[in-house]
Amino acid sequence: LRMSKGTVILAYSGGLDTSCILVWLKEQGYDVIAFLANIGQDEDFEAARIKAEKLGAKKVFIEDLRSEFVEDFIWPSVQANAVYEDRYLLGTAIARPCIARSQVEIARREGAQFVSHGATGKGNDQIRFELTCYALYPEVEIIAPWRIPDFYNRFRGRTDLMEYAQKHGIPVPVTPKAPWSMDANLMHISYESGILENPKSHAPADLYLMTKNPEDSPNTPDVLEIEFGNGVPLKVTNVKEGKSKNSPLDIFSYLNEIGGKHGVGRIDIVENRFIGMKSRGIYETPGGTILLQAHLDIETFTMDKEVRRIKQGLGIKFSELVYNGFWYSPECDFVRHCINKSQENVQGKVQLSVFKGQVYILGRESPKSLYNEELVSMDVQGNYDPCDASGFIRINAVRLREHHRLQGVSSIKK
Amino acid sequence: LRMSKGTVILAYSGGLDTSCILVWLKEQGYDVIAFLANIGQDEDFEAARIKAEKLGAKKVFIEDLRSEFVEDFIWPSVQANAVYEDRYLLGTAIARPCIARSQVEIARREGAQFVSHGATGKGNDQIRFELTCYALYPEVEIIAPWRIPDFYNRFRGRTDLMEYAQKHGIPVPVTPKAPWSMDANLMHISYESGILENPKSHAPADLYLMTKNPEDSPNTPDVLEIEFGNGVPLKVTNVKEGKSKNSPLDIFSYLNEIGGKHGVGRIDIVENRFIGMKSRGIYETPGGTILLQAHLDIETFTMDKEVRRIKQGLGIKFSELVYNGFWYSPECDFVRHCINKSQENVQGKVQLSVFKGQVYILGRESPKSLYNEELVSMDVQGNYDPCDASGFIRINAVRLREHHRLQGVSSIKK
Amino acid sequence: LRMSKGTVILAYSGGLDTSCILVWLKEQGYDVIAFLANIGQDEDFEAARIKAEKLGAKKVFIEDLRSEFVEDFIWPSVQANAVYEDRYLLGTAIARPCIARSQVEIARREGAQFVSHGATGKGNDQIRFELTCYALYPEVEIIAPWRIPDFYNRFRGRTDLMEYAQKHGIPVPVTPKAPWSMDANLMHISYESGILENPKSHAPADLYLMTKNPEDSPNTPDVLEIEFGNGVPLKVTNVKEGKSKNSPLDIFSYLNEIGGKHGVGRIDIVENRFIGMKSRGIYETPGGTILLQAHLDIETFTMDKEVRRIKQGLGIKFSELVYNGFWYSPECDFVRHCINKSQENVQGKVQLSVFKGQVYILGRESPKSLYNEELVSMDVQGNYDPCDASGFIRINAVRLREHHRLQGVSSIKK
Amino acid sequence: LRMSKGTVILAYSGGLDTSCILVWLKEQGYDVIAFLANIGQDEDFEAARIKAEKLGAKKVFIEDLRSEFVEDFIWPSVQANAVYEDRYLLGTAIARPCIARSQVEIARREGAQFVSHGATGKGNDQIRFELTCYALYPEVEIIAPWRIPDFYNRFRGRTDLMEYAQKHGIPVPVTPKAPWSMDANLMHISYESGILENPKSHAPADLYLMTKNPEDSPNTPDVLEIEFGNGVPLKVTNVKEGKSKNSPLDIFSYLNEIGGKHGVGRIDIVENRFIGMKSRGIYETPGGTILLQAHLDIETFTMDKEVRRIKQGLGIKFSELVYNGFWYSPECDFVRHCINKSQENVQGKVQLSVFKGQVYILGRESPKSLYNEELVSMDVQGNYDPCDASGFIRINAVRLREHHRLQGVSSIKK
């Protein structure tokens, strides 16, 4: 009788790859506990449980992380206006620490020394996953089969996996695989690899699962009012229908529904992975895109401009950290704390319309606004002396005139 | 016979305000030269010339600045991905230094000591205008009537201007003024003041002049291919129609046409003015919005990620400087130089579709791309050893584990 | 009988300038309350009180602000490693909001609408002073005589002040004025103007009052141990003498004593004023310089490197804000909050020697250190696999090799 | 007869470690070419050559890199005011790419596929060395024995090396090794490891080789004048002696001589390595410290303040990149280009005195100075209207007053 090498908590998806990994880990002499995180992807969790059990998982844990995903990961990203490289809303990046946190908790609880996952060796997810594990469970050992030569040399393509599956009684998918890979959660679906690897090729029209094609979306907008407190949504109301939602998960799901219906949040980008490669990704982030626009609006309305400037820099830093897998790091803790502090007065209501892939801000109001209608008015003077502006401008020009004195202006146009 | 106090170059628009200022300056004892800049606004320049002459302008200069506006001001902004406070594309901010540069040239040429303008005392434009003048013509004296008590106390509202106009033979507008003010140029139209000062009120649907309402825009997209070199567009082609443009002014005008036709580039925002007030502005920037998206795409495709990160910060700095009126400043010169340097390899073609207010990137190609299809492929290994990623991750985790050692994790979820 | 125009709280120094201002303000019809802040400058406060009363001040307030200056202003600057333009430790800049805060409190308490000060119209201090007043007492009106033409045209030089003084019974200084101006407080003495305005001239050796010339300072060092908690000093001990101090004011005074004795903290710089001029200043900051070095040391010892990097940027921002007079601003509040948060683990003891103008760090220890002697040791392996570094380096090189692939290396040396 | 595995260019120091590596590489089947870089360290290069030849090196290259080290590496660092983590002047960090660049040139020239070095697996130098190699010679293969288990398990300590040396005819050092390791070049000497690993222990007084103990240094200062152009020193003159130097290598060597004589540039710090460990290092950088102070001074004197602010950020970025080994990277190229651009007007002379470990700036002059003595003067008004400052301050206060309106001030002191 062979001794077990120990217990592995495997992040199990129910798909072909992680099913093969489950069996392979057993072959290697580990006890395997399968862990499935429900973060809003479309999945038959019970079928996956049964499958894992059949494949020899000692235990199977299925955790509904949807609410904590919204509150602990999506909300801070909304506060930060988190966007990586000016375009990507980080839907996958924030899901990884959420999943890994839960996996590590199970590992600690079950006394498992090992965790494993099916992420590839070229991607960002392996890093996001493992840095979370090392940060929260420093003694953990990580088994990443796609980086183990024995494994990746054995499974050089899908055919090898299929063969192995058939040999080991792993149910083989009957529908053909899409010629790309995808990753779905409550925040977004991402598509990459396969035919998408050619950055010049247009994405097929039928790729998108979460949003309607704007060409086919309704011809009349939905108008929403989103109420914020401390920089996060407290309530969303469909202004015409009167319907409203006010728990975090309900709010976000409803924004997904409306955004999806109107084709909001599709992007096709090339991005820079942490490991230094450029990759092409296609994303759809309906609810997140609406929230980004709404939050930008209420934030500028209520936040001092110089605080905003500093906070904008912190938000960019936050986005880079999260993209690179450092959600659980001292610097990301620090940045999150600072950003959260900046949101104290980010409170009020934004009205917006959602239509044909776009979000249009219509108006905003707030008890905490720094907008002063009288002060800014062109029709009344308010508590403002226009003469002050002359001095302001002349003092700002002191330096520019000195520079000119030195440089001369041989030719103004250059 | 009264001695002239000297010659003033007045930035003249042909409208009621600057017509009154023209006459008022003469009353104050100045010789007035009217200067009209054509930066693409919809204006009957000859009618304005005749009007200015009738009102007593000693000379009238009408300058077609459209090409230099595109090449010297819009193109550097495209290179910078210039966006102020995450949303505003700076259409007015970049027009001011273009106009003032030309005005100052005339002042120098005509030996005029004074320049004047009709910008108000609460806005940004007075600053942008005057800092340019002081930077390029440090000895200049600026007459800003809306900051001179004699003037602004006399003209407390439109009625006072109308009365003065009638008294001094200034033609009075026959159509009623819109209940807001607007500023138009090749890059954008901005709307503010009047009924827009209430930040909660929705903008009227008939406000927009440059873009079609997406609800009424065509039901089929236009597909464009934009070719870039050194980070600026060299050519735009309508893929379906085969039509193409390749001079800067033609390219930008065509992008405006297509963007306008599909309702692209409308935003309704609250922004922070340099003088510390928040104001509400509505903007439509059709061509600029298309270019921003296209440039973001080709830039990330061709630029190293760490260069991109540094350049992103410089672009934000550039946007703040330009918004605040510092186009002609040593720091903006410096930042423009650095950004331009960063664009050396930003070359290639982007395909995109324009539809119902949105710009969708479809694909991109470049001889200078740093995208390596083999390296990033999920199907082939390329010149990449996945085992390296293990070391990479573990070294990145050294610091996180040390932090954990110090802090402990009383509870992972906090 | 003339009506009073109202009550002015005058920041009174006891010197010729503010004595003349006191009398002049009375001439203008104001009731004057003199306010003297004791922030550690060498001054006969009781003599000043009597002088102010004799000159007609309705009331005189002398406030000992030394402890709050140390705790509320110097300590946050220590946490921030606050240095302006890489050299200036901000000794004057942090004193202004301390003084103005107290002055505004008196103004509110006494129901005074006006505050006044003797700062010149070209300097930074007027701004620091007045921004504090406007921030904390927005309705205040500020009388800055050196910016009022009636005043500054009347008092064009020291002779005019002397004449006015003699005429109005203001005691005239008997000792000749030094050919420069100086400003002293607990943190530093600054010297500028007069013969120092020529940036090429060396400062006279007898200028310095707070520090000994290192040529004449002791030939043996003092060795201090400074204990920090939350990034501020809790205790200082003279290691050889055994003497120690542990209240903030005592600690800082003792560091001044030791630093001054050994000639620490002298700098001669040109700096950029907020109003856009360059000026030459000479500063001596003995205790502050010791603390800067000690804090830098304990901070790096206890703070994660990436937190440090972000915090370093915030510290530079803090320094600029404080220099420019924005101590009381939303952004400076925000930055101070963030910096304070970063200091949670900045705790421990630093040993240093002070000798001939220099501070030498000798060693440090901390219960919160992230320094891991075993991990870093060259002699033992610790919990570290050197092979990981290979992967770390190769992954970091992925991007560099791709760049090389694109660029080629026509010649390595360029 | 065994086939050679190929040719290795070994960075050879002449010491015990790299001598053992040389022999070991031969044992492994490689042809070894020894490469010694002269970057100013105190070494008997001819003795080292003979030793390498005796140990079986196929060829030995000794390259005098001192001039290019000064001009290509030290000068750009001077322009950048390069300081890592506020204290470390990067003396080792900039030497590595200089050495590796030369090594790679030899490898290419000699058709060698391999390079090797004796850097340890926990340090920064392995990274700096190898990233340079990968960047400039992407196809290179690197042999880092201290990261190869076969090697490091065989040589677990100095004793194992000594034994191996004796066995293989490698001359064994006769003088006992200092209980720390050191690294010397023209820029600095660094000391670490051994008894220095305890961060609390004071460094022994006899550790320093490049600088005199300030307690024993001369009792009279040397006064130098350094002339700059484009931000780098063109000439140094000893003001009292009249002696001057004007080639880069002579200038830097002379600054080292004077700085060393007066004990300038000693620091004892804890720093953050790229791999995430904290380490304790002691450095002496005499000439570099003088230059840093002089350059800071002439730069602020001649550079616009806002350019300076942006450039300061770039300088910090540069320092981090260089510390981490990215000298040859697209981003460091970019940053160097930008910094170099900023130095166009950094020209003029700085006088300073060097005494007892300190550098005191005495005065400066420049034809490119933006310092305007008349403008800043307290005695004359210059082209400046003090009334402008009132408007400047009040406009700056607009935002602060609005903030106060919103927040209220329950209690000013908090």
Side-chain angles (χ1 to χ4, degrees), chain B residues 215-366:
Chain B
E215 298 193 32
D216 307 323
S217 72
N219 288 314
T220 49
D222 274 291
V223 175
L224 304 179
E225 178 174 276
I226 304 178
E227 183 177 344
F228 286 87
N230 200 39
V232 300
L234 302 177
K235 186 179 177 185
V236 58
T237 306
N238 188 313
V239 174
K240 290 176 197 163
E241 300 177 8
K243 204 186 206 174
S244 76
K245 307 283 175 181
N246 45 33
S247 82
L249 181 54
D250 286 351
I251 290 170
F252 197 74
S253 300
Y254 186 67
L255 292 173
N256 269 342
E257 181 190 325
I258 296 296
K261 170 182 163 191
H262 290 283
V264 165
R266 295 176 164 198
I267 58 169
D268 177 329
I269 65 173
V270 167
E271 73 197 53
N272 288 295
R273 290 194 185 151
F274 187 21
I275 54 170
M277 292 169 189
K278 291 188 186 290
S279 71
R280 194 257 195 106
I282 292 170
Y283 302 94
E284 44 184 352
T285 316
T289 301
I290 296 173
L291 271 181
L292 174 63
Q293 291 305 321
H295 183 266
L296 276 173
D297 197 70
I298 195 69
E299 187 176 85
T300 308
F301 194 50
T302 54
M303 190 180 282
D304 172 79
K305 89 165 163 162
E306 295 301 324
V307 175
R308 192 197 186 286
R309 191 163 296 184
I310 298 165
K311 187 259 170 185
Q312 182 179 0
L314 292 172
I316 291 172
K317 185 73 195 166
F318 174 80
S319 305
E320 293 169 358
L321 289 171
V322 169
Y323 185 86
N324 289 344
F326 290 94
W327 186 281
Y328 286 108
S329 66
E331 67 274 26
C332 201
D333 282 352
F334 176 60
V335 170
R336 264 197 308 277
H337 172 92
C338 298
I339 289 174
N340 188 53
K341 171 76 182 169
S342 77
Q343 302 293 301
E344 279 176 356
N345 292 325
V346 179
Q347 175 183 333
K349 293 174 189 167
V350 177
Q351 290 212 353
L352 52 87
S353 93
V354 186
F355 180 64
K356 293 281 180 195
Q358 263 289 24
V359 180
Y360 299 92
I361 302 297
L362 301 173
R364 71 292 287 165
E365 62 185 313
S366 168

Side-chain angles (χ1 to χ4, degrees), chain A residues 112-356:
Chain A
Q113 179 63 19
F114 302 92
V115 297
S116 182
H117 62 80
T120 71
K122 285 184 174 176
N124 291 308
D125 286 338
Q126 55 178 343
I127 309 172
R128 295 162 182 162
F129 180 87
E130 297 180 22
L131 289 183
T132 300
C133 293
Y134 284 131
L136 300 182
Y137 185 10
E139 313 79 28
V140 78
E141 289 181 53
I142 293 169
I143 302 171
W146 288 116
R147 294 198 314 258
I148 298 173
D150 271 0
F151 186 89
Y152 67 70
N153 287 327
R154 178 164 178 185
F155 301 102
R156 284 171 182 276
R158 194 163 165 81
T159 322
D160 298 328
L161 287 166
M162 300 282 265
E163 228 169 71
Y164 183 83
Q166 272 161 335
K167 202 167 129 198
H168 291 81
I170 301 169
V172 170
V174 286
T175 49
K177 197 189 165 303
W180 54 75
S181 71
M182 60 172 261
D183 180 69
N185 63 46
L186 200 61
M187 175 93 168
H188 86 343
I189 303 181
S190 70
Y191 309 88
E192 57 173 16
S193 307
I195 61 167
L196 305 177
E197 282 172 2
N198 180 343
K200 193 182 166 181
S201 309
H202 299 197
D206 64 347
L207 171 120
Y208 301 96
L209 301 178
M210 206 171 175
T211 58
K212 250 200 138 60
N213 186 336
E215 298 193 33
D216 307 324
S217 71
N219 288 314
T220 47
D222 273 290
V223 175
L224 303 179
E225 179 174 275
I226 304 177
E227 184 177 343
F228 286 88
N230 200 39
V232 299
L234 302 177
K235 186 181 177 184
V236 57
T237 307
N238 188 313
V239 173
K240 289 177 199 163
E241 300 176 9
K243 206 186 209 172
S244 76
K245 306 283 175 183
N246 43 34
S247 82
L249 180 54
D250 286 350
I251 290 171
F252 198 73
S253 300
Y254 186 68
L255 292 172
N256 269 342
E257 180 190 327
I258 296 295
K261 169 183 164 190
H262 290 282
V264 165
R266 296 175 164 199
I267 58 168
D268 178 329
I269 66 172
V270 167
E271 73 198 52
N272 288 296
R273 289 194 186 149
F274 187 22
I275 55 169
M277 294 171 187
K278 290 187 187 293
S279 71
R280 193 252 197 110
I282 292 171
Y283 302 94
E284 44 185 351
T285 318
T289 301
I290 296 173
L291 270 182
L292 174 62
Q293 291 305 320
H295 183 266
L296 276 173
D297 198 70
I298 196 68
E299 185 176 86
T300 308
F301 195 50
T302 53
M303 190 181 282
D304 172 79
K305 88 164 165 164
E306 296 300 326
V307 175
R308 193 197 184 286
R309 189 161 298 182
I310 298 164
K311 187 259 169 181
Q312 182 179 358
L314 293 171
I316 291 171
K317 186 73 196 167
F318 173 80
S319 306
E320 293 168 0
L321 290 170
V322 170
Y323 185 86
N324 289 344
F326 290 93
W327 185 281
Y328 286 106
S329 66
E331 66 273 28
C332 201
D333 282 352
F334 177 58
V335 169
R336 263 197 309 275
H337 172 91
C338 297
I339 289 174
N340 188 53
K341 171 75 183 171
S342 78
Q343 303 293 301
E344 279 176 356
N345 292 323
V346 180
Q347 174 182 335
K349 294 173 188 169
V350 177
Q351 291 212 352
L352 52 86
S353 93
V354 185
F355 179 65
K356 292 282 180 193

Side-chain angles (χ1 to χ4, degrees), chain D residues 336-353:
Chain D
R336 265 198 308 277
H337 172 91
C338 297
I339 289 174
N340 188 53
K341 170 76 183 171
S342 78
Q343 302 294 301
E344 279 177 357
N345 293 324
V346 180
Q347 175 181 333
K349 294 173 186 166
V350 177
Q351 290 212 354
L352 52 86
S353 93

Side-chain angles (χ1 to χ4, degrees), chain A residues 68 85-87 101 105 108 120-122 126-127 130-131 134-136 138 146-147 149 152 193 197-202 214-215 221 268-270 272-275 277-280 296-297 300-301 303 305 308-309 312 316 320 326 328-331 351 355-358 360-365 370-371 373-378 380-381 384-387 389-390 392-394 396-397 399-401 403-404 412-413, chain B residues 68 85-87 101 105 108 120-122 126-127 130-131 134-136 138 146-147 149 152 193 197-202 214-215 221 268-270 272-275 277-280 296-297 300-301 303 305 308-309 312 316 320 326 328-331 333 351 355-358 360-365 370-371 373-378 380-381 384-387 389-390 392-394 396-397 399-401 403-404 412-413:
Chain A
E68 60 188 64
E85 294 189 340
D86 290 314
R87 297 187 290 179
R101 176 175 77 172
E105 282 170 331
R108 285 184 174 277
T120 71
K122 285 184 174 176
Q126 55 178 343
I127 309 172
E130 297 180 22
L131 289 183
Y134 284 131
L136 300 182
W146 288 116
R147 294 198 314 258
Y152 67 70
S193 307
E197 282 172 2
N198 180 343
K200 193 182 166 181
S201 309
H202 299 197
E215 298 193 33
D268 178 329
I269 66 172
V270 167
N272 288 296
R273 289 194 186 149
F274 187 22
I275 55 169
M277 294 171 187
K278 290 187 187 293
S279 71
R280 193 252 197 110
L296 276 173
D297 198 70
T300 308
F301 195 50
M303 190 181 282
K305 88 164 165 164
R308 193 197 184 286
R309 189 161 298 182
Q312 182 179 358
I316 291 171
E320 293 168 0
F326 290 93
Y328 286 106
S329 66
E331 66 273 28
Q351 291 212 352
F355 179 65
K356 292 282 180 193
Q358 263 290 23
Y360 299 93
I361 302 297
L362 302 172
R364 71 292 286 165
E365 63 184 312
L370 286 162
Y371 184 96
E373 199 167 335
E374 187 184 288
L375 178 63
V376 80
S377 173
M378 286 300 164
V380 297
Q381 193 157 315
Y384 182 82
D385 180 352
C387 301
S390 304
F392 180 71
I393 297 169
R394 276 199 293 266
N396 272 298
R399 194 170 54 80
L400 308 185
R401 294 161 91 179
H403 180 70
H404 181 276
I412 290 176
K413 293 191 193 176
Chain B
E68 59 188 65
E85 293 187 342
D86 290 313
R87 296 187 290 179
R101 174 174 80 171
E105 283 169 331
R108 286 183 174 277
T120 70
K122 286 183 174 176
Q126 55 177 344
I127 309 172
E130 298 180 20
L131 289 182
Y134 285 130
L136 300 182
W146 288 116
R147 294 199 312 259
Y152 67 69
S193 306
E197 281 171 3
N198 180 343
K200 192 183 166 181
S201 308
H202 299 195
E215 298 193 32
D268 177 329
I269 65 173
V270 167
N272 288 295
R273 290 194 185 151
F274 187 21
I275 54 170
M277 292 169 189
K278 291 188 186 290
S279 71
R280 194 257 195 106
L296 276 173
D297 197 70
T300 308
F301 194 50
M303 190 180 282
K305 89 165 163 162
R308 192 197 186 286
R309 191 163 296 184
Q312 182 179 0
I316 291 172
E320 293 169 358
F326 290 94
Y328 286 108
S329 66
E331 67 274 26
D333 282 352
Q351 290 212 353
F355 180 64
K356 293 281 180 195
Q358 263 289 24
Y360 299 92
I361 302 297
L362 301 173
R364 71 292 287 165
E365 62 185 313
L370 286 161
Y371 184 96
E373 201 169 332
E374 187 183 287
L375 178 63
V376 79
S377 173
M378 285 299 165
V380 297
Q381 193 157 315
Y384 182 83
D385 180 352
C387 300
S390 305
F392 181 71
I393 297 169
R394 277 199 291 266
N396 271 297
R399 192 170 55 79
L400 309 186
R401 294 160 92 178
H403 179 70
H404 181 276
I412 291 176
K413 294 193 192 174

